[in-house]
Amino acid sequence: MLSSALRTSLRRAATTQTSTPVRALTTWAQIEMGPPDAILGITEAFKRDGDARKMNLGVGAYRTDEGKPYVLGAVRKAEEALLAKRLDKEYLPITGLAKFTGAAAELAYGADSAALGRVAITQTISGTGALRVGGAFLQRFYKAQQTVYLPTPSWGNHAAVFRDCGLKVASYRYYDAATRGLNLGAMLDDLRALPRGSIVLLHACAHNPTGVDPTPAQWQQIQSVVEEREHLAFFDMAYQGFASGDADRDAAALRAFVAAGKTPVVLSQSFAKNMGLYGERVGTFSIVGVDAAERDRLLSQIKILVRPLYSNPPINGARIAAEVLNNAPLRTEWLGEVKQMADRIIGMRTALRSRLEELGSAHSWNHITDQIGMFCYTGLKPEQVDRLAKDFHIYLTRDGRVSVAGITTANVNYLAESIHSVTKN
């Protein structure tokens, strides 16, 4: 039991606390609510939908033919091998795990590339982190130009990443809405018209969001103009092996630029898609130097940039990737699994186009199979996309981009019939 005096004291304290005005915390009052992420909004709408036929075609992550997330067998085996080693959790060096970055460089540039001995490479927090480190490096050291030119359209995060590095962002023409293919003539005209020495971002393969890649012959023309204008080629390679099923074929454009040696080349590389290491955040940023001495100078400055950003990268995903890339049987298994994933995507493209044609659509759907990689730029208008969500429970971004990985043999016909319904009039 509390004494009478103690009860009175507590009542007075409570009265004093509730009657004293609390100073309004206005420090952050001027900050406005930021716009929601477009992909997150799609996912939330999908989750709220109770219809059994619902489809989420907005998320850029691979799914099995059962619509489930997929952990590659080679990755599982690598994890088991690493667990058996009972490794420590010590910090990595600033530039990451050397066994990983060395193998990643060989995968990107080719095991027989003469440039390997002069590539300055650092492990990064996946492809986004690679872009950020690359942007920071160019902002600090590439004084010839401070504008990054992106293809129209490009991955939605490109502009934000480079602007946050202090670089300006502009664009060059790329996609032809009329043909749903590459507007090569306009692209070359724009590249020629850019200030000499401009920073030109190039999707190495599986262009996101359009799925429209140049042919080998078209790449030669692009390379010729970039070299003629002495532009810096910033390759973003997020889908090596995942586009065509052949890692060497998907890296052909990058390797051709490097082999010619006529223009500066930097590279952002990700293992989210091709190794399924989405949440592990595994990537690299690299610069091709002229010799080993320049490589060392470049790497010293990359370290200075990385140190205040995140000190050093995470270890687990890099160990997994290194185990897969450096273990011959696991590497072979992994490359086979990447091809299986690519082949499933290609198969879903064929099935979707075939069913649309069977339905007697008046539109041409050739672009579905002409495009490559995880995404298909369907050409659907925003109001058609809205109707797909409202009437058919199919969710995708309003620019008409479809994540082909979300299509399965069980739902491809329903998707085709729904697209036909919203486009036939």
Side-chain angles (χ1 to χ4, degrees):
M1 291 291 290
L2 294 174
S3 69
S4 175
L6 181 56
R7 286 198 298 270
T8 301
S9 176
L10 289 173
R11 281 197 299 270
R12 286 174 179 169
T15 302
T16 301
Q17 289 174 6
T18 55
S19 62
T20 302
V22 178
R23 183 177 64 86
L25 299 177
T26 59
T27 303
W28 313 117
Q30 78 283 8
I31 296 179
E32 299 178 355
M33 178 67 73
D37 182 86
I39 303 298
L40 180 60
I42 291 169
T43 301
E44 289 175 346
F46 169 79
K47 289 179 177 178
R48 289 193 300 267
D49 193 325
D51 194 283
R53 299 166 297 175
K54 67 180 182 179
M55 299 175 64
N56 185 354
L57 302 181
V59 178
Y62 182 79
R63 295 292 181 263
T64 67
D65 198 44
E66 292 73 41
K68 303 296 184 183
Y70 179 48
V71 179
L72 281 67
V75 168
R76 287 289 193 208
K77 291 175 182 176
E79 287 180 317
E80 291 168 0
L82 292 169
L83 186 62
K85 294 178 183 179
R86 301 181 64 83
L87 299 171
D88 61 45
K89 302 294 184 181
E90 292 294 299
Y91 290 123
L92 283 176
I94 294 174
T95 53
L97 186 66
K99 289 197 297 184
F100 162 64
T101 55
E106 287 190 5
L107 182 72
Y109 295 102
D112 58 351
S113 173
L116 285 177
R118 47 192 172 88
V119 170
I121 186 168
T122 184
Q123 181 185 332
T124 58
I125 303 174
S126 203
T128 305
L131 291 164
R132 186 62 186 262
V133 171
F137 184 91
L138 295 176
Q139 191 278 330
R140 184 171 294 185
F141 295 107
Y142 191 70
K143 298 305 182 181
Q145 296 290 338
Q146 289 279 285
T147 301
V148 180
Y149 291 88
L150 307 177
T152 304
S154 195
W155 180 47
N157 213 18
H158 275 146
V161 168
F162 290 124
R163 286 195 184 105
D164 280 1
C165 292
L167 295 169
K168 297 177 182 177
V169 175
S171 61
Y172 60 86
R173 287 173 289 176
Y174 185 88
Y175 178 73
D176 187 337
T179 65
R180 300 188 177 96
L182 180 66
N183 192 343
L184 180 65
M187 178 183 181
L188 296 178
D189 287 344
D190 285 357
L191 293 179
R192 289 190 186 98
L194 297 183
R196 186 174 294 276
S198 292
I199 304 168
V200 177
L201 185 123
L202 299 165
H203 295 235
C205 60
H207 181 276
N208 180 3
T210 70
V212 173
D213 282 1
T215 65
Q218 289 170 335
W219 268 119
Q220 289 178 5
Q221 295 180 68
I222 295 165
Q223 180 178 340
S224 177
V225 173
V226 170
E227 291 172 349
E228 173 192 329
R229 297 294 297 157
E230 299 177 343
H231 295 326
L232 183 148
F234 194 139
F235 278 93
D236 186 2
M237 189 158 65
Y239 297 92
Q240 186 182 4
F242 196 95
S244 68
D246 184 332
D248 293 324
R249 175 181 168 185
D250 290 348
L254 166 71
R255 294 177 184 179
F257 272 70
V258 173
K262 296 179 180 179
T263 194
V265 174
V266 303
L267 171 67
S268 163
Q269 183 183 20
S270 169
F271 287 84
K273 306 295 193 300
N274 61 8
M275 209 171 275
L277 298 176
Y278 303 98
E280 297 287 359
R281 314 307 292 146
V282 185
T284 75
F285 171 71
S286 56
I287 309 173
V288 181
V290 297
D291 54 30
E294 182 170 275
R295 173 203 64 198
D296 293 343
R297 294 197 307 274
L298 293 169
L299 203 56
S300 72
Q301 294 295 340
I302 289 172
K303 290 177 182 178
I304 292 170
L305 281 170
V306 167
R307 177 63 171 149
L309 280 174
Y310 51 84
S311 286
N312 53 306
I315 197 169
N316 192 61
R319 281 175 169 169
I320 294 169
E323 187 76 14
V324 171
L325 293 172
N326 291 300
N327 181 304
L330 284 184
R331 183 187 179 97
T332 299
E333 181 177 348
W334 167 64
L335 290 173
E337 288 180 290
V338 174
K339 188 175 188 309
Q340 288 174 5
M341 291 191 292
D343 286 349
R344 194 186 89 72
I345 297 289
I346 293 169
M348 289 300 98
R349 287 180 178 276
T350 301
L352 178 59
R353 174 185 168 184
S354 297
R355 183 57 182 151
L356 282 164
E357 291 172 346
E358 289 172 1
L359 291 167
S361 175
H363 304 283
S364 171
W365 298 101
N366 293 356
H367 59 283
I368 294 177
T369 51
D370 290 342
Q371 296 170 10
I372 194 170
M374 181 173 288
F375 300 109
C376 174
Y377 229 42
T378 60
L380 293 172
K381 299 177 175 62
E383 58 271 21
Q384 294 170 330
V385 172
D386 292 342
R387 192 178 163 210
L388 280 176
K390 180 181 177 182
D391 296 345
F392 300 96
H393 313 278
I394 297 171
Y395 299 88
L396 54 144
T397 54
R398 295 190 81 237
D399 58 4
R401 188 196 78 167
V402 162
S403 176
V404 186
I407 306 174
T408 70
T409 53
N411 64 27
V412 65
N413 287 343
Y414 177 67
L415 174 61
E417 291 156 9
S418 302
I419 291 175
H420 181 58
S421 293
V422 303
T423 59
K424 63 183 178 182
N425 295 323

